[in-house]
Structures are given as C-alpha cells and as structure tokens.
DNA sequence: TCTGGGGTCCTAGGACCC
DNA sequence: TCTGGGGTCCTAGGACCC
C-alpha cells in the first residue's frame, strides 16, 4: 500500500502557524511580484477566490482586511516543509518527497497494521510537531492514493483526514466520484480531449482500451491507466540530481528596448551562476527565452528561445553572461512588448566530475574570483554587481505583504508574550 | 494599470554513423 | 518499374506536475 500525505493549503497554513489569529479567516498567499493567488485557506476558497486569480481582482478585499494576503515567503515554507517531511519519514523506511507539501510513503509489510489508525497517527504527530494540517490517502497504488487523499480532504468531517481504499467496492466508488479533470496526470489538454469522447470520470478512463490510451496519451497515459485501475505500475522514484536549473521572471511593466531587456537577462544569468556555484554544479548549455505579454491580445505575440552549447561546463558568471548575450541578440526582435525572460542552465553536473574540454578550458582565475565574489555578497547582501546589471537596482520585486522568516533568521524569530 | 516560477518526461524527426 | 538495414544522439515541442 502507498500513503500520500499532503499538507492542506500549505503556504496559507504556514502563515497561520505563526499568526494563529488568522485561524478561521480567509488567507491567501501571492506569487512572486504579488502577481496572483497561489495558495488559499478554505475560507478564501469559499469566497470564490480561484487559484491564479490576479491580485488586482481581489485588491478591495485585501485592503478592507476581509482577506489576509501574504507575499510568498519561501524561506519559511521550505523550512516548514523540511520539518513536516522529517516527521513523516519516520513512518516508513521507503518514501518519496514528491513536492514541497507532499510525500508518498510505501507501507510494505504493514499487513497487520490498522492503516486508518496509522494515518491518524501521522496527523497527530505532524500537528503536534509543526502545527501544519495534513490529509492522508492510503491505497494499493500511487494514483489511487492520490484519489484517496482527495476524498480524505473533501469529506474531512467524515474521514477525520484519513481515507483508505482497501477493497474493490471502495475503489469503484472512488473512481466514479473522481472527475476526469481531477485525476493526477491528466491536465487541461487531455481532459478536454477525453470529455469529447464521453470520458467524464476516472472510472470511465480506466475502461478505455489500452491501444487508444497509448496512441493518444503515450506510455505515460497507459501507465497511469494501469495504476489507477489498481495494478501497481508507478513505484517510488529515487531522488535524482536535478538536470536543469532556471531563473525566470515576469517584469512589472512591459519592456521594449534592447538595453533594458539585456539588463534583466544579465541579472538573471548572474543569479543562475550564483545558484549553480552554491550547490557546486556547473552547466553544459544554456537556454535563453523571451516572451511578449500574453494578456495583451492586441499586440504582436512573440515567444522565442535559443539553446547554446558551451565549449566547456562552467559556472562562471563571466562566461555564462557572454554566451547568454550572444543568444539574446539572436532572438531579440524590435517592436515587441516583452513581459518575461529567463535563462535556464541545462546539463547540470557536479563541479568535480564535469566533462573537461580538450582545447578550451576556463581561465583558472574564475574559480577563485567567484569564490571571493560570493563570499563578499553573502556578507554584504549583493553589493558586488556585474557591469551589465543595473547598479541602482530599481527592479525590486514587489512583495508588500511579506511575513517574517520566523524559522531561519534569529532576529526575525517569533516573540512570545506571557501574561501572568 | 495590475495576471508566478521551477521543474520532469516522452516523442518525432533530423543528422549522423557503419 | 525497381535504390538497404540498423543504429545513436540531439533537440524542439507538447504534455504534465507542484
């Protein structure tokens, strides 16, 4: 059996842990730049605030404090996630941290355990240890555990947050209840396509012929179908090293001229190189992309990207910037309202096991130079910049509702008042 | 006025090899 | 009339996830 444990409204719940006055009130967490809603408490969901709702749509509710809004505080969420995962990892030696707020736990050899009670124990341990509410779905396969988790959450008053699918009848019932759009692995495109042929529930999907699923949805779809039918197909996945790493941002206002766009892209590639060095990796190639504003329908649509293979694997800001700018020149077009750009490092490898080039090699000074730069920037909050960056740093990200880094900064630690 | 960021996997097709 | 067979590697694009 597999358990899927998922933190309820994770980011919103993190904010509440440190501000319990928000319990029972609508809370939303906003994306970078405070652009749109990316997490909602149940009360916010009841106000019909959808995932991805632009912040300006609900600005009145925020201003009047009907809804409590927070800018994303990833330092806080990442660390709270680590605490939750640490506690849950004690429940079985086999687990897979699937995302910041989800973990699959394989329950092999738990035949004589009461799984419902085991799930309830997970909830009480995590609640006591972190204050984060969780839901537990338990079933014979990963895809069914996902379904069970949805049921546990949806009918929390009946389930107490745990749902176990351990019989054919419960499986049938669960699959009939699950709408096709809500199936893990079926996104907007596939859902549309499936509905056209009359598939509206997960159960309908499991009745499709293998050949059709294979043809229309590749082996990924077929594996999903099997797993959802109760035939264990998807197993825990090993934590692999990341293959790519990206720094991409939307701009607060559209950009049209090359100089401004260049400045943004140089800043992104600088951040990317820092990120690489921080984890002792280097990259073999770079991808640069620029987008027009998709919301301005009356303007010309333009999406373009270019991939550049580097002569040798590197994490030098200087080398990466040179190639990034070459790439940017290739795809830059005049007269476009640009809204977003990004740089992606591809073919990541650890510093010490990278492929060395035969003819060209990085100037040896770079490693020493950047170790000093990183050291100084860590101490002085990014005082050293590169010539291509904007020295006045007018590009502050908007984050008007940022909470404190309660768990990772000593001077932001929570204060407790005792009333005797 | 204002709409996020960072990932993964699979497939088809082109370029190349012997 | 009729023009091989079997492979690898790479990339772009499309799907998905949180």
């Amino acid at each position: 059996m597999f358990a899927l444990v998922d933190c309820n409204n994770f980011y919103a719940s993190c904010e509440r842990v440190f501000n319990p006055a928000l319990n029972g009130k609508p809370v939303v967490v906003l994306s970078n730049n405070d652009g749109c809603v990316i997490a909602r408490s149940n009360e916010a969901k009841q106000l019909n605030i959808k995932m991805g709702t632009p912040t300006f749509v609900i600005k009145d509710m925020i201003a009047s404090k009907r809804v409590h809004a927070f800018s994303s505080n990833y330092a806080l969420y990442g660390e709270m996630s680590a605490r939750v995962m640490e506690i849950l990892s004690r429940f079985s030696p086999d687990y897979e941290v699937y995302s910041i707020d989800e973990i699959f736990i394989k329950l092999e050899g738990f035949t004589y355990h009461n799984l419902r009670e085991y799930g309830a124990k997970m909830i009480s341990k995590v609640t006591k240890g972190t204050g984060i509410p969780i839901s537990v779905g338990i079933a014979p396969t990963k895809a069914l555990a996902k379904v069970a988790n949805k049921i546990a959450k949806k009918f929390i008053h009946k389930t107490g947050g745990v749902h176990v699918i351990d019989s054919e009848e419960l499986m049938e019932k669960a699959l009939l209840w699950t709408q096709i759009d809500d199936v893990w692995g079926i996104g907007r495109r596939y859902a549309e396509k499936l509905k056209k042929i009359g598939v509206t529930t997960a159960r309908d999907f499991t009745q499709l012929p293998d050949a059709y699923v294979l043809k229309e949805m590749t082996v990924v779809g077929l594996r999903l179908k099997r797993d959802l039918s109760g035939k264990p197909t998807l197993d825990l996945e090993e934590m692999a090293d990341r293959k790519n790493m990206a720094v991409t941002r939307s701009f607060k206002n559209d950009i049209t001229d090359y100089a401004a766009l260049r400045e943004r892209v140089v800043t992104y590639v600088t951040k990317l190189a820092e990120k690489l060095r921080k984890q002792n990796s280097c990259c073999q190639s770079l991808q640069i992309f620029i987008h027009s504003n998709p919301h301005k329908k009356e303007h010309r649509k333009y999406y373009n990207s270019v991939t550049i293979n580097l002569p040798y694997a590197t994490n030098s800001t200087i080398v990466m910037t040179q190639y990034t700018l070459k790439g940017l020149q290739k795809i830059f077009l005049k007269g476009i309202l640009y809204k977003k750009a990004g740089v992606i490092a591809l073919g990541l490898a650890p510093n010490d096991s990278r492929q060395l080039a035969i003819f060209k090699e990085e100037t040896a000074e770079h490693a020493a130079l950047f170790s000093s730069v990183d050291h100084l920037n860590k101490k002085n909050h990014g005082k050293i910049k590169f010539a291509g960056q904007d020295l006045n740093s007018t590009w502050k990200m908007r984050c008007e509702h940022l909470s404190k880094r309660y768990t990772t900064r000593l001077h932001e630690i929570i204060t407790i008042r005792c009333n005797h």
Side-chain angles (χ1 to χ4, degrees):
Chain A
M1 299 287 272
F2 288 90
L4 174 73
V5 185
D6 174 313
C7 301
N8 304 342
N9 316 325
F10 183 53
Y11 297 169
S13 298
C14 287
E15 298 293 349
R16 275 181 171 172
V17 167
F18 295 91
N19 192 348
L22 298 172
N23 286 334
K25 294 186 180 156
V27 173
V28 298
V29 176
L30 307 173
S31 66
N32 267 348
N33 255 332
D34 291 349
C36 64
V37 172
I38 56 170
R40 306 155 294 154
S41 70
N42 289 340
E43 298 77 12
K45 288 175 187 170
Q46 275 157 24
L47 288 175
N48 209 20
I49 298 172
K50 301 265 186 276
M51 191 72 172
T53 298
T55 307
F56 65 81
V57 172
I58 56 165
K59 68 175 189 311
D60 292 342
M61 287 200 265
I62 295 173
S64 65
K65 297 267 155 96
R66 247 185 96 201
V67 170
H68 299 266
F70 291 88
S71 304
S72 349
N73 183 346
Y74 291 109
L76 181 65
Y77 312 149
E79 209 271 338
M80 288 302 284
S81 166
R83 293 183 187 210
V84 171
M85 299 307 171
E86 194 282 319
I87 292 170
L88 290 170
S89 68
R90 300 180 204 159
F91 283 83
S92 163
D94 303 313
Y95 60 89
E96 172 193 347
V97 176
Y98 178 67
S99 73
I100 194 163
D101 71 336
E102 280 173 87
I103 180 171
F104 282 106
I105 300 173
K106 199 169 182 177
L107 302 172
E108 222 167 29
F110 283 66
T111 325
Y112 301 107
H113 278 70
N114 180 325
L115 294 176
R116 209 161 274 97
E117 279 171 15
Y118 206 53
K121 198 170 155 196
M122 293 180 192
I123 295 180
S124 72
K125 287 278 179 196
V126 171
T127 308
K128 189 170 178 202
T130 67
I132 298 286
I134 59 171
S135 302
V136 184
I138 300 176
T141 70
K142 281 174 106 176
L144 285 169
K146 272 275 195 184
V147 170
N149 185 286
K150 273 221 163 90
I151 294 172
K153 203 170 290 176
K154 184 83 181 179
F155 304 105
I156 186 149
H157 296 299
K158 259 201 233 164
T159 63
V162 185
H163 185 63
V164 183
I165 296 177
D166 54 4
S167 69
E168 285 287 324
E169 299 92 286
L170 282 173
M171 190 176 99
E172 285 290 302
K173 217 174 143 186
L175 290 175
L176 274 170
W177 175 78
T178 305
Q179 294 301 111
I180 193 67
D181 334 54
D182 293 334
V183 176
W184 180 47
I186 295 185
R188 202 166 42 87
R189 288 281 153 74
Y190 285 153
E192 254 170 52
K193 191 185 274 189
L194 289 168
K195 278 189 217 161
K196 272 192 194 132
I197 59 161
V199 172
T200 60
T201 66
R203 151 91 206 187
D204 295 339
F205 175 64
T206 59
Q207 300 308 111
L208 287 172
D210 281 0
Y212 175 86
V213 178
L214 180 64
K215 183 165 162 281
E216 299 297 328
M217 303 172 66
T218 80
V219 298
V220 181
L222 190 55
R223 288 200 281 252
L224 173 65
K225 185 199 142 177
R226 296 211 168 119
D227 210 61
L228 206 52
S229 314
K231 301 169 197 137
T233 306
L234 308 171
D235 205 345
L236 294 187
E237 285 180 28
E238 289 293 317
M239 268 295 269
D241 291 336
R242 291 243 175 281
K243 293 173 179 162
N244 306 324
M245 181 191 281
V247 174
T248 72
R249 293 281 182 284
S250 298
F251 317 133
K252 224 181 290 175
N253 304 107
D254 296 335
I255 289 180
T256 47
D257 70 303
Y258 183 72
L261 192 61
R262 181 186 197 274
E263 190 282 327
R264 286 292 76 201
V265 171
V266 170
T267 298
Y268 300 163
V269 72
T270 303
K271 276 190 187 159
L272 184 60
E274 269 167 24
K275 248 167 109 174
L276 282 172
R277 294 196 294 271
K278 202 166 178 181
Q279 59 159 60
N280 289 316
S281 293
C282 49
C283 67
Q284 184 53 62
S285 35
L286 287 171
Q287 190 171 70
I288 299 96
F289 73 80
I290 47 181
H291 286 184
S292 58
N293 191 335
H295 302 290
K296 293 198 173 155
K297 304 266 188 264
E298 68 280 13
H299 286 98
R300 176 161 169 208
K301 196 167 120 184
Y302 183 65
Y303 284 64
N304 208 352
S305 74
V306 58
T307 307
I308 294 176
N309 206 5
L310 302 169
Y312 46 85
T314 185
N315 58 25
S316 153
T317 304
I318 296 174
V319 177
M320 286 168 65
T321 302
Q322 279 169 358
Y323 284 94
T324 295
L325 287 177
K326 272 186 202 167
L328 180 62
Q329 272 163 10
K330 272 192 203 161
I331 54 176
F332 176 78
L333 214 60
K334 265 192 156 164
I336 304 289
L337 295 183
Y338 292 103
K339 178 62 181 172
K340 183 171 180 174
V343 186
I344 306 167
L346 309 167
L348 263 49
N351 259 343
D352 48 14
S353 72
R354 70 200 165 114
Q355 183 73 49
L356 297 172
I358 304 183
F359 300 114
K360 283 193 182 170
E361 189 43 82
E362 193 162 307
T363 18
E365 300 86 65
H366 283 203
L369 171 64
F370 287 111
S371 116
S372 304
V373 168
D374 290 342
H375 180 69
L376 288 169
N377 273 342
K378 199 176 169 189
K379 270 172 52 183
N380 303 295
H381 304 291
K383 281 279 156 51
I384 300 196
K385 293 203 173 179
F386 290 84
Q389 291 182 261
D390 182 354
L391 300 181
N392 298 319
S393 107
T394 47
W395 278 98
K396 271 258 163 62
M397 202 166 63
R398 180 155 54 189
C399 47
E400 292 167 2
H401 312 278
L402 194 58
S403 52
K404 293 190 173 159
R405 291 166 290 184
Y406 300 106
T407 61
T408 52
R409 293 297 154 116
L410 205 52
H411 61 274
E412 297 185 18
I413 202 165
I414 198 161
T415 324
I416 298 175
R417 214 176 29 226
C418 291
N419 293 320
H420 289 293

